[in-house]
Amino acid sequence: QVQLVESGGGLVQAGGSLRLSCAASASIIRATTMAWYRQAPGKQREMVTTFTRGGGTDYADSVKGRFTISRDNAKNTVYLQMASLKPEDTADYFCNARAVTPPTGTMRDFWGQGTRVTVSS
């Protein structure tokens, strides 16, 4: 079982910055994709950003130009750098890993417990 642990959430003022971390228990280079999702109260979970299968990145339109996903393969850690934060960014943020799991070769999604980000106005 792959374990993901998010950290770095907190309370920030609008316009501020915050960096989230996702520490994985397995090598992230083996993952098909790594991504960040978020879920605001009363809303469904949505993708924020992801590393794609081709090695590129995708961002939700709402965060383009403000958020940046990065990784440190040696530390098995994925980061989400958030800048110019807005109150509408307030949500629980979740790390996601999609990987082929042995012995059946089945694609599975793994999720962290989430870290809360609150942006005040």
Side-chain angles (χ1 to χ4, degrees), residues 20-36:
L20 307 183
S21 298
C22 170
S25 64
S27 177
I28 61 173
I29 66 174
R30 304 300 181 188
T32 301
T33 60
M34 298 291 300
W36 286 95

Side-chain angles (χ1 to χ4, degrees), residues 5-73:
V5 180
E6 302 96 336
S7 62
L11 174 64
V12 298
Q13 294 183 349
S17 299
L18 201 63
R19 188 177 78 160
L20 307 183
S21 298
C22 170
S25 64
S27 177
I28 61 173
I29 66 174
R30 304 300 181 188
T32 301
T33 60
M34 298 291 300
W36 286 95
Y37 287 72
R38 67 185 181 187
Q39 186 169 21
K43 296 185 177 181
Q44 66 180 16
R45 190 171 298 185
E46 64 175 346
M47 188 192 74
V48 178
T49 179
T50 181
F51 285 111
T52 66
R53 295 184 65 174
T57 55
D58 282 336
Y59 293 90
D61 188 64
S62 60
V63 306
K64 282 184 177 178
R66 300 188 298 117
F67 289 11
T68 303
I69 188 171
S70 62
R71 64 188 180 188
D72 186 332
N73 291 334

Side-chain angles (χ1 to χ4, degrees), residues 4 22 33-37 94-98 109-112:
L4 306 173
C22 170
T33 60
M34 298 291 300
W36 286 95
Y37 287 72
F94 299 88
C95 183
N96 167 264
R98 180 168 291 178
D109 281 313
F110 300 89
W111 297 91

